[in-house]
Amino acid sequence: MVELAWASLRSRALSVSLTVLVITLSVVLLLGVERIRTQAHEGFASTVSGTDLIVGARSGPVNLLLYSVFHIGDPTNNVSWQSYQELSTLPQVKWAVPLSLGDSWRGYRVIGTTAGYFKHYRHGAGHGLAFAQGQPFDDLYDAVVGAEVAQAARIGLGTEIVLAHGTGAVTLATHADKPFRVVGILQRTGTPVDSSVLVSLPAIEAIHVDWRSGVQLRSQHVSAEQARQLDLTPTSITAFMLGLNSRIATFGVQRSINEYPDEALQAILPGVTLQQLWQSLGTAERALQLISAMVVLLGMVSLMALLVSTLQERRREMAVLRATGARPAYVACLLVVEAVATAAMACALALAVLTCASAAGRSWALANFGLSITHVWPDARELAWVGGVLLISAVAGLLPALLAYRCTLADGLAPAS
């Protein structure tokens, strides 16, 4: 039966090839969306790794995660520097990295932090930050930019930038009297760090020494050199990240921070909150899967149309099979085998295309989008999708098989209408 089905498909090579092409494209779309979804989920979940707790003003876990990690939105309140110092010296705390937000450059968020940010920030499978050019900030008016900022703005080492007050894409309130110099460009990470400008905490204090309530006080103007002589210890920060000596102590430290008596603070576990945020995006994810499934269904309809449209041409072929002793069920099964064989060829071609595309675009995706393609070869989930496509193709072959089953020897020998 397999040999007969293969010979039948070869006799209709052109129409079968077009159908295989349609199904191949639909399966590539289905598996491509599934692979991108999986990679995006893994990348999203590993935006920040190695950080046990993120602490900020009490609001909501997702809100704290959004403005501290993804730089979306603004905090409801700040954290006092005194609270940060007390909590960062807890015996369970291994390291602490403060974050000060609220300024921008051409719409890119500015992060005020310490040199510990470059040492302790992790993403993906524990990857640290690496410099494509330059080094961390050292002087008061040094700045380090992410890969996306450097590429989009076409800036390099030594470029002078002027930070703006506020986080809007367009603002007239700038710190033009205290320009910064780019001393480092980070390698692409695929995280919000790529779209960030990093400066020191004292630098954030220096550009705001003569500002009050978002307005620069002209009568109390402090020059860039005069600011160097001042005490630039911050009075408050936006949030801070904590790394603990032991994961076992995470919930204990979290409870202590949430019950901190001197200030209303909140500590969140980044991994847990990232999962909550991803679940809230589940509707869009399911919509993409539904669209892909509908495309595959259209491919199966084209396969069914191919088999049905050829039934009239194959009446005499079926009559010969019946005359040589083939039962109606044998003829019907032959059409189902042809349907599955056509879909199998399309699925094999789709897997080959997807594998080659993943292997060829691996370095390109990492260099341009920071997307790490963790697997090239099809995994168990993708093979399960392929199995589902083959099962649907068998179902799609049932209608023409039923029509062929009802075809009698006299129908095959009768003149074509």
Side-chain angles (χ1 to χ4, degrees):
M1 182 180 293
V2 175
E3 292 180 0
L4 188 60
W6 177 244
S8 177
L9 291 175
R10 282 188 302 171
S11 66
R12 296 172 284 115
L14 180 59
S15 58
V16 171
S17 299
L18 293 176
T19 305
V20 168
L21 178 60
V22 171
I23 299 176
T24 298
L25 294 177
S26 63
V27 174
V28 166
L29 178 61
L30 174 67
L31 299 182
V33 168
E34 179 64 19
R35 179 166 293 191
I36 291 174
R37 185 193 67 84
T38 303
Q39 297 290 341
H41 189 188
E42 293 175 357
F44 184 85
S46 59
T47 300
V48 53
S49 59
T51 299
D52 296 307
L53 292 172
I54 297 178
V55 184
R58 190 173 298 169
S59 55
V62 174
N63 183 48
L64 174 56
L65 181 75
L66 286 176
Y67 70 73
S68 62
V69 175
F70 293 94
H71 310 152
I72 299 175
D74 297 297
T76 56
N77 205 350
N78 284 342
V79 179
S80 68
W81 183 251
Q82 181 180 357
S83 297
Y84 163 73
Q85 288 184 311
E86 291 181 3
L87 294 174
S88 62
T89 56
L90 291 175
Q92 301 93 331
V93 175
K94 184 178 181 179
W95 55 264
V97 174
L99 304 173
S100 183
L101 308 173
D103 293 278
S104 62
W105 180 73
R106 296 186 181 181
Y108 298 107
R109 291 293 184 102
V110 173
I111 304 176
T113 184
T114 62
Y117 188 89
F118 304 104
K119 179 181 179 181
H120 298 297
Y121 183 88
R122 294 289 184 271
H123 64 92
H127 301 296
L129 297 177
F131 281 83
Q133 300 179 49
Q135 60 188 10
F137 45 72
D138 183 40
D139 185 67
L140 181 63
Y141 299 110
D142 285 348
V144 175
V145 300
E148 178 64 26
V149 178
Q151 181 179 2
R154 297 182 179 180
I155 60 176
L157 299 181
T159 302
E160 189 175 276
I161 61 176
V162 175
L163 305 186
H165 192 77
T167 57
V170 178
T171 177
L172 299 178
T174 63
H175 303 286
D177 58 329
K178 299 178 181 67
F180 284 75
R181 183 174 60 93
V182 176
V183 297
I185 299 176
L186 295 171
Q187 291 184 1
R188 190 175 293 274
T189 63
T191 69
V193 177
D194 295 340
S195 302
S196 304
V197 177
L198 294 96
V199 300
S200 65
L201 279 180
I204 295 294
E205 294 299 311
I207 61 178
H208 292 106
V209 292
D210 50 3
W211 285 67
R212 296 293 183 275
S213 302
V215 179
Q216 187 176 18
L217 304 177
R218 299 295 180 182
S219 59
Q220 301 179 13
H221 176 68
V222 178
S223 67
E225 291 303 319
Q226 290 174 336
R228 293 179 182 273
Q229 312 303 321
L230 302 177
D231 180 12
L232 299 177
T233 302
T235 57
S236 65
I237 57 176
T238 304
F240 58 94
M241 301 185 295
L242 291 179
L244 306 181
N245 292 310
S246 172
R247 292 288 180 91
I248 301 176
T250 301
F251 294 103
V253 175
Q254 183 186 29
R255 183 172 59 254
S256 300
I257 295 175
N258 291 339
E259 296 174 354
Y260 188 63
D262 298 337
E263 196 171 353
L265 300 178
Q266 180 181 25
I268 63 171
L269 282 73
V272 175
T273 311
L274 279 168
Q275 291 297 331
Q276 295 175 355
L277 181 58
W278 182 263
Q279 291 174 2
S280 66
L281 303 175
T283 302
E285 180 183 1
R286 288 189 292 271
L288 286 175
Q289 290 178 322
L290 179 61
I291 292 173
S292 301
M294 292 299 296
V295 173
V296 173
L297 182 60
L298 290 176
M300 294 299 104
V301 171
S302 67
L303 174 62
M304 184 187 302
L306 169 69
L307 295 175
V308 172
S309 63
T310 58
L311 284 179
Q312 186 67 20
E313 302 174 3
R314 302 174 64 186
R315 290 168 60 250
R316 295 191 181 279
E317 174 189 338
M318 295 178 186
V320 171
L321 291 175
R322 294 292 307 278
T324 55
R327 295 179 177 273
Y330 182 91
V331 178
C333 289
L334 179 63
L335 293 179
V336 174
V337 171
E338 290 182 10
V340 175
T342 304
M345 288 188 291
C347 289
L349 186 58
L351 290 175
V353 170
L354 191 64
T355 301
C356 293
S358 299
R362 197 170 191 175
S363 57
W364 178 80
L366 183 62
N368 292 275
F369 300 101
L371 179 62
S372 177
I373 300 178
T374 56
H375 68 275
V376 174
W377 297 99
D379 58 11
R381 181 187 292 271
E382 293 172 353
L383 293 179
W385 279 105
V386 170
V389 172
L390 295 179
L391 180 61
I392 295 174
S393 67
V395 175
L398 289 179
L399 176 60
L402 179 62
L403 296 177
Y405 181 84
R406 298 178 60 184
C407 180
T408 64
L409 180 60
D411 293 334
L413 296 177
S417 57

